[in-house]
Amino acid sequence: MKSLYAFTKKEIMDQLRSNKVLVLGIIFIIFGIMNPAIAKLTPWLFEKMSDSLAESGIQVGKITVDALMSWEQFFKNIPMGLIAFVLLESSIFTKEYQSGTLVLSLTKGLKRHNVVIAKTVVLVLLWTVCFWMCFGITYVYNDFYWDNSIADNLLFSSFCWWFFGIWVIMIMVLSSTILKNGSGVLLGTGGVVFAIYLISMIPKVDKYMETMLTTGYSLTTGASKISDYTVAVIVTLIVSVVFFVAGIIVFNKKRL
Amino acid sequence: MDKIREYLPFIIPLVIVEIILLVVTLHHIFTHENYKRGSRLLWVIVTIIGMEFIGPILYFVLGKEDE
């Protein structure tokens, strides 16, 4: 337990020292500010474009902006945040395989499963902080300019997206334990997410797939109910746990 | 003028974040001798030209040497 704590602390220090936390934090702060800013600018943009649109026969009516528009931007931008997160963190295991620093810690008595647990904890912690910081900034701006109460189930739909991120992290952990280099991890993670996305295009199957969690925006408009999401949440939870355990098992047998 | 005042709550935090990122990046570039790719001059130019976030982020993703 003590070595797990120490190793987690070392991982956090590594993250801080390599400026990854700074870059990720700033990316998510920018997204948090940009969501309401884009919503706020929309009427102005349409005003600017209305002349050229009128020439092609499109009439622009009056546009009213509300908090939902800003939340729509939030759900559109969060995928980019997740991609940036995966890009920056894909080397969390592999850079240690290449430099061989893990062998040192392992020969000093650090249990192998503690390595996987510590790195996963750090990733989950970082994603949680970044995601909810972005959410919080957008929330405060929306409250300031408009009214958040028109968005239904806001916390649950955001929770779904956060949980989707956790699932992606678990894929990353599993592929990091199987593969040897960072680009392989990127390809593996992207490939699995893309495959699941393709499968979810089949009607009736989509309800059981993890990608269902990314459609949380329809919850805020009231187009879908929370009960539609329970299956997807349970499936994602089970799959995440399975990936995590599989990651530990693979890592225990891995030759470093 | 009123138009600008309306957007001040967006602009001020963005400017603050931008300046923090710029200072940290330039500090990092000038305190390190070696980079994964490129030279010090290249990264200073990239950081300053792309100071609206993209330059510093490019530096940290592509240019910063792994320790």
Side-chain angles (χ1 to χ4, degrees):
Chain A
M1 205 60 212
K2 213 173 159 190
S3 62
L4 174 65
Y5 175 74
F7 194 71
T8 314
K9 213 168 141 191
K10 180 226 137 208
E11 279 299 313
I12 293 174
M13 288 314 291
D14 266 6
Q15 292 283 328
L16 287 173
R17 220 177 300 132
S18 64
N19 289 56
K20 276 181 184 164
V21 176
L22 177 89
V23 174
L24 275 177
I26 281 174
I27 288 173
F28 278 85
I29 288 175
I30 296 168
F31 280 141
I33 299 173
M34 287 310 278
N35 298 329
I38 289 170
K40 187 99 181 120
L41 282 170
T42 313
W44 178 79
L45 276 176
F46 271 99
E47 212 174 278
K48 287 272 166 202
M49 278 159 54
S50 62
D51 281 344
S52 59
L53 283 176
E55 274 169 25
S56 52
I58 302 167
Q59 288 288 324
V60 179
K62 190 143 177 61
I63 298 155
T64 47
V65 181
D66 55 19
L68 271 182
M69 217 157 180
S70 170
W71 286 117
E72 192 185 351
Q73 286 298 325
F74 175 76
F75 286 107
K76 266 187 198 159
N77 283 338
I78 275 293
M80 308 234 270
L82 183 60
I83 290 170
F85 183 85
V86 173
L87 275 176
L88 278 169
E89 296 296 339
S90 61
S91 61
I92 186 166
F93 280 83
T94 49
K95 69 163 191 275
E96 301 224 35
Y97 301 157
Q98 270 145 19
S99 62
T101 41
L102 268 181
V103 182
L104 269 174
S105 322
L106 288 173
T107 46
K108 279 186 182 153
L110 179 71
K111 294 272 191 316
R112 276 180 169 234
H113 59 87
N114 280 349
V115 174
V116 182
I117 294 173
K119 284 186 190 283
T120 313
V121 165
V122 171
L123 284 177
V124 169
L125 203 71
L126 199 56
W127 168 246
T128 309
V129 170
C130 286
F131 181 87
W132 292 108
M133 187 173 65
C134 184
F135 176 84
I137 292 170
T138 307
Y139 189 91
V140 170
Y141 272 112
N142 286 359
D143 229 27
F144 178 69
Y145 281 109
W146 308 289
D147 182 15
N148 270 322
S149 58
I150 60 162
D152 298 329
N153 307 318
L154 198 53
L155 270 179
F156 183 74
S157 53
S158 309
F159 163 80
C160 282
W161 234 107
W162 172 80
F163 204 48
F164 181 76
I166 299 287
W167 174 70
V168 172
I169 289 173
M170 292 308 167
I171 303 173
M172 229 165 88
V173 169
L174 180 58
S175 48
S176 301
T177 55
I178 297 171
L179 300 164
K180 277 220 157 64
N181 57 6
S183 35
V185 175
L186 273 183
L187 270 177
T189 312
V192 172
V193 175
F194 187 64
I196 295 290
Y197 177 72
L198 282 185
I199 295 170
S200 72
M201 284 186 171
I202 305 168
K204 288 190 181 159
V205 179
D206 59 340
K207 255 173 105 171
Y208 305 101
M209 300 316 269
E210 291 84 353
T211 41
M212 175 80 180
L213 296 182
T214 60
T215 59
Y217 175 65
S218 58
L219 271 170
T220 56
T221 54
S224 54
K225 299 190 294 292
I226 288 183
S227 55
D228 298 343
Y229 287 78
T230 40
V231 183
V233 170
I234 293 166
V235 168
T236 311
L237 181 68
I238 294 169
V239 172
S240 303
V241 172
V242 168
F243 279 2
F244 180 56
V245 174
I248 291 179
I249 294 169
V250 173
F251 193 74
N252 276 337
K253 290 182 178 154
K254 193 177 175 71
R255 273 236 308 268
L256 288 170
Chain B
M1 196 60 210
D2 273 356
K3 200 84 181 162
I4 292 176
R5 193 168 297 155
E6 204 180 329
Y7 291 105
L8 272 187
F10 293 121
I11 296 167
I12 292 170
L14 279 176
V15 168
I16 293 171
V17 173
E18 202 169 281
I19 289 171
I20 292 174
L21 192 60
L22 187 66
V23 169
V24 171
T25 313
L26 287 179
H27 178 258
H28 198 278
I29 293 175
F30 283 112
T31 51
H32 287 72
E33 286 289 325
N34 301 310
Y35 313 102
K36 220 169 6 185
R37 337 180 152 72
S39 61
R40 176 174 288 178
L41 183 68
L42 171 84
W43 284 118
V44 171
I45 292 171
V46 167
T47 309
I48 289 172
I49 288 179
M51 67 182 269
E52 299 84 16
F53 304 114
I54 194 71
I57 288 174
L58 276 180
Y59 170 69
F60 279 114
V61 174
L62 298 175
K64 192 182 77 70
E65 195 190 22
D66 291 326
E67 272 120 71

